[in-house]
Amino acid sequence: MWLGEAYVHRRPQKGNGTNRQADERECGAMKILVTGGTGTVGVAVVKELLKRGAKVRVLARKQPEEGKLPPGVEVAIGELLDPGSVNQAMRGVDKLFLLNAVTPDELTQGLIAYDLAKRLKLKQIVYHSVFRVDHFKDVPHFASKLAIENAMREFEVPFTIIRPNYFFQNDATLRDSLTKAGIYPMPLGQVGISAVDIRDIAEAEAIALTSDGHYGKTYNLNGPGALSGPKMASIWTGLLGKEIRYLGDGMDAFEEQMRKRAASWSAFDIRMMFQGYLERGFVAEARDIETLTDLLGHTPRRYEDFARETALNWQKQ
């Protein structure tokens, strides 16, 4: 698929299953640059890469607080809107894990990183995109991710695209809404979504970076079962021992609440995303769960287990 001498030196593909761990160890000497490496997903990816023996460099705007990153992680100071610092951070690395924040200039940030990786002939880019990105072209941050995906398919850098669903861990921020107000506020609709655990996402992304057989692949990452708004309320009712109500699908009220916690452009962006869930669906497609199970070597985590862990943590706090 890719032309040029820089990309022809590949080991024979060994596939998944019993050979994966040996395959990952063989790749362990590679150095991987992680963008977004101090965020929730990025830190989880860094930990999974270290488990597999990879050398990790993280691009960060400033030196992370002590304990934020595991020991042995190299930090390059810079930001995605500064091509000079990104270029310097990529020197001496083999691969790039590209995760950039949802911002008004997300597309520019992503393309700067991609174009420099292309210029420096990195061996692979694993890009953190989003599920059903091609069905949500009217959602600003989905549109940015789709444009970055399209650029990656145009040129010669080997790539893997990871498209995760809504994160379980987003709901860890709902403590007051659930425990005090007794409401589940996220407008997931009556059909629901196939939300996924960040730990499964990070594991899949690390596997794609450290084992063979993933070049040119696009993986949908979905959890088992559809989680509707009423079902979420029911799960939390059982865990918390009190009635949790689902507020419903009123998008105007949801956007108004979001404006109290985020910039207006961000509240609108998030509103359009959830409105897309309601109108177009966000449930796993055929064989998505089987594909993720094969990739991970275990079944994806269940929301019910995450919610139980979270409720126990709240009690301890």
Side-chain angles (χ1 to χ4, degrees):
M1 181 179 297
W2 296 274
L3 306 177
E5 294 181 357
Y7 305 115
V8 298
H9 303 294
R10 305 179 199 159
R11 295 186 311 282
Q13 292 185 3
K14 299 179 182 180
N16 295 322
T18 57
N19 288 325
R20 184 191 297 123
Q21 289 184 346
D23 206 18
E24 290 168 353
R25 284 195 297 271
E26 190 176 347
C27 280
M30 286 196 174
K31 178 174 280 190
I32 298 167
L33 177 64
V34 175
T35 70
T38 58
T40 304
V41 175
V43 169
V45 171
V46 167
K47 291 177 179 177
E48 289 293 337
L49 288 172
L50 292 175
K51 285 181 186 178
R52 290 162 173 78
K55 297 177 182 178
V56 179
R57 179 184 293 165
V58 166
L59 178 69
R61 289 189 179 91
K62 60 182 181 179
Q63 191 67 33
E65 295 178 7
E66 186 174 353
K68 180 72 172 180
L69 294 172
V73 174
E74 184 181 338
V75 176
I77 303 300
E79 59 176 285
L80 289 174
L81 286 177
D82 177 11
S85 66
V86 177
N87 181 75
Q88 187 62 34
M90 286 186 185
R91 297 287 175 175
V93 304
D94 302 288
K95 297 183 176 185
L96 169 67
F97 174 68
L98 178 56
L99 184 161
N100 50 319
V102 176
T103 64
D105 47 25
E106 179 177 358
L107 176 57
T108 301
Q109 292 187 29
L111 289 180
I112 286 173
Y114 174 73
D115 289 341
L116 288 170
K118 175 161 59 74
R119 182 188 302 174
L120 294 170
K121 296 182 170 58
L122 296 194
K123 296 177 181 178
Q124 183 192 19
I125 299 173
V126 171
Y127 177 53
H128 181 99
S129 185
V130 63
F131 180 54
R132 303 208 79 199
V133 64
D134 43 351
H135 294 270
F136 286 68
K137 298 174 184 175
D138 55 338
V139 178
H141 75 278
F142 279 55
S144 295
K145 287 177 168 60
L146 182 60
I148 294 168
E149 283 193 14
N150 289 338
M152 294 175 72
R153 292 188 174 95
E154 285 292 319
F155 299 98
E156 297 177 356
V157 181
F159 68 86
T160 307
I161 293 170
I162 304 293
R163 290 177 167 182
N165 206 303
Y166 181 91
F167 306 158
F168 289 175
Q169 281 75 8
N170 289 338
D171 287 0
T173 65
L174 303 180
R175 179 177 181 175
D176 286 349
S177 294
L178 291 165
T179 62
K180 296 179 181 179
I183 58 173
Y184 183 82
M186 310 309 287
L188 302 185
Q190 305 303 311
V191 175
I193 63 177
S194 297
V196 64
D197 196 294
I198 281 176
R199 291 166 291 189
D200 290 337
I201 297 170
E203 190 176 347
E205 290 170 332
I207 288 168
L209 282 158
T210 58
S211 62
D212 284 340
H214 309 292
Y215 291 171
K217 299 288 185 64
T218 297
Y219 294 115
N220 293 333
L221 302 194
N222 290 299
L227 298 164
S228 66
K231 183 170 183 178
M232 291 293 215
S234 175
I235 290 170
W236 286 103
T237 294
L239 287 171
L240 299 178
K242 60 182 287 187
E243 182 183 4
I244 303 298
R245 296 175 295 111
Y246 175 55
L247 283 186
D249 309 329
M251 297 312 303
D252 289 342
F254 176 73
E255 183 182 352
E256 183 178 348
Q257 286 299 313
M258 286 301 303
R259 282 203 197 99
K260 297 176 182 178
R261 298 162 39 188
S264 291
W265 69 265
S266 179
F268 179 81
D269 192 350
I270 294 168
R271 181 248 174 89
M272 292 300 295
M273 177 179 73
F274 278 96
Q275 192 165 315
Y277 293 172
L278 303 180
E279 295 172 353
R280 281 155 270 179
F282 222 55
V283 177
E285 298 175 359
R287 294 198 58 78
D288 280 353
I289 307 303
E290 292 88 343
T291 298
L292 180 54
T293 299
D294 290 344
L295 182 63
L296 297 176
H298 61 78
T299 55
R301 292 171 173 85
R302 302 185 319 140
Y303 183 87
E304 290 85 349
D305 297 327
F306 154 78
R308 187 175 299 108
E309 293 171 12
T310 302
L312 287 173
N313 287 334
W314 290 345
Q315 288 178 4
K316 292 175 183 177
Q317 294 170 6

